[in-house]
Amino acid sequence: MPTPARLHVAHALHEVFGEKGRVPDFWDRDLGEDAHLAQALLGLCLRRWGCLQAWLKPKLKDPDRGVPLGTRVTLAMGLAQLAWLPGVSDHAAVNESVDLAADRDLGFVPHKGLVNAILRRAAKDRAALAAELDALPPALDRSPIAERVLKAALAPHHAEGELEGLWARLQQPPRPDFRLLKGEVPEGLLPSADLPGCLCLEDGAPFPRPWLEAAGGIVQDRSSQALLAYAWDRPVTRILDACAAPGGKTTTLALRHPGAALTALEVHPKRAARLRQTLQQRGVEARVIQADAAEWLEQTQDTFDLILLDAPCSGSGTLQKHPEWPWLAHDELPRLIGLQKRLLIAAADRLAPGGLLVYAVCSWLPEEGAVHREWLEGARPDLRPAEVWPAALGAEAGIEGGATAFFRPHPMRWEGEGFQAFAVGRG
Ligand SMILES: C[S@@+](CC[C@H](N)C(=O)[O-])C[C@H]1O[C@@H](n2cnc3c(N)ncnc32)[C@H](O)[C@@H]1O
C-alpha cells in the first residue's frame, strides 16, 4: 500500500495531466511530517515532467501507441525519487511505485510488471540515472506556452539571450518572503538587502507557521511588496481594493494608509467570506463586499482617492511557485483579457480628482499588461501616468535614476514573481 504522501502526489499529477487542473490549495494539508517529501516529489515530477517522459520513451516497447497516464505517473514518481531524492531508499522508490501501478484509479494494472522492471534497472545506478536525466535538454520541460511566457518576460528588457538562465531560475523551488504586521520579527527571519520591510527566511530556519497563525505577519512575495511601496504623498481617505481575496494587499494598504476608509470587493462568495475572516483576524477594518467589481463600479456613485486593481489574470508570472502552470489548458485567457479591460475602465471612471489608480497582474504576457496600458491612454486621455516606483523596477531598459509609472522588473535582476503594473493619476 503506497504511503499517503505518494497517493497525494499521484492524485495531484492526475489532476494536472489528466484534467489540466491546478494543484488544489492545501493539497498536502493532512500529511504532517510527510508533507516535505510530498512537496519535493510533486515539484520534481512537475518541473521535470518533459525530461522524465523523454527518458522513458525509448525504454517502452511501442511508445507511439500511447502510454496510459497511470503508467506515466507511477514511472515519473519512481524515477524522480531514484534520481533526485537520495533520502528515499531504493526499496521505497521502487516498491511503492509498483504498488501505485497496481492501483486501479492511479496506476495501470497491466503495466505493473513493466514499472517494476524499469525502476529496478534504474535503481542499480541512481547517479547514472540522475546524470542521464540532467543531460537532457531543459527545453523538454517547457510547454509552448511556457516558452512564450519566457520570451515575453525577457523581450521588454532586450534580454532574449537569457532564456535558459531564466528558466533555470524558475525551476528552483521558490523561497517565501514575509512582512511584519505587528510585534517583533521572529527568529529565523532576516531583513531583505534590497527591499525595506521585506523579510526572508534564514537558511535552515523553520517555516514561521505559529507567527503567521497568530497574525504577527504574512507571506507576501517581494514583487507585491515593491508594488505596494509606491511613492504617493497626496491625501488618501477612501481606498478601493477591487479584487481583494485572499487579502494580502488589502492588509498592506490598511497598514500604509491608517485611518482611510477601505472597501474590498471580491466576486467569489467563499473567497469573500475567507477575506472577511482573514481581515478580522489581522485587525484590518474594511467594508468587504461580495460583488462583481465591474458591475459594482458601474453602478456606484462612490469615488476613491486610491484604487488598486489586482486583476484576475493567467498567473504566468507565478511559474516558479506553480510548476504545473506550463501544463494547464489556459483556454480562459481571452475571457480574462476582456474582463481586465472592463474592470480597468470601470475603475478608472471611479477615480476621484487627485486620485491614484494602480493596475497590476502577476503575469508577463503583454496582452494582460502593456497592451492595456496603451489602450487606457487612448480610452481615458485625461488620466496621466503617475511615476510612483523607482526606475530600477521599471519597464524602460537602461534607466538608472528617477521613477517609473510602469512596474515591470527585469526577471534576471529581480527575484520576485513576474508582475506588470501601471499607475495613472487624475488631475
Ligand atoms: C490576483 S487575485 C487578488 C489577490 C489579492 N489582491 C491579494 O493580494 O491577496 C484576483 C482576485 O479577484 C477575484 N475576482 C475575479 N473576478 C472578479 C470580479 N469580476 N470582481 C471582483 N473580484 C474578482 C478572484 O476571485 C481573485 O480572488
Side-chain angles (χ1 to χ4, degrees), residues 241-249 265-268 271 291-294 308 310-312 339 343:
D241 187 351
C243 294
K249 295 192 188 67
L265 305 179
E266 169 57 48
V267 73
H268 291 294
R271 290 172 71 79
D292 177 313
L308 172 66
D310 190 19
L339 176 60
L343 288 166

Side-chain angles (χ1 to χ4, degrees), residues 136 156 169 177-178 209 252 276 373:
L136 290 169
R169 168 165 101 68
D177 300 309
F178 304 87
R209 202 172 299 285
T252 311
R276 204 169 274 126
R373 184 172 182 247

Side-chain angles (χ1 to χ4, degrees), residues 293-294 297-298 307 341-351:
L297 282 160
E298 283 158 8
I307 301 181
K341 287 173 79 173
R342 188 171 165 215
L343 288 166
L344 186 51
I345 211 80
D349 289 347
R350 302 319 305 156
L351 192 62

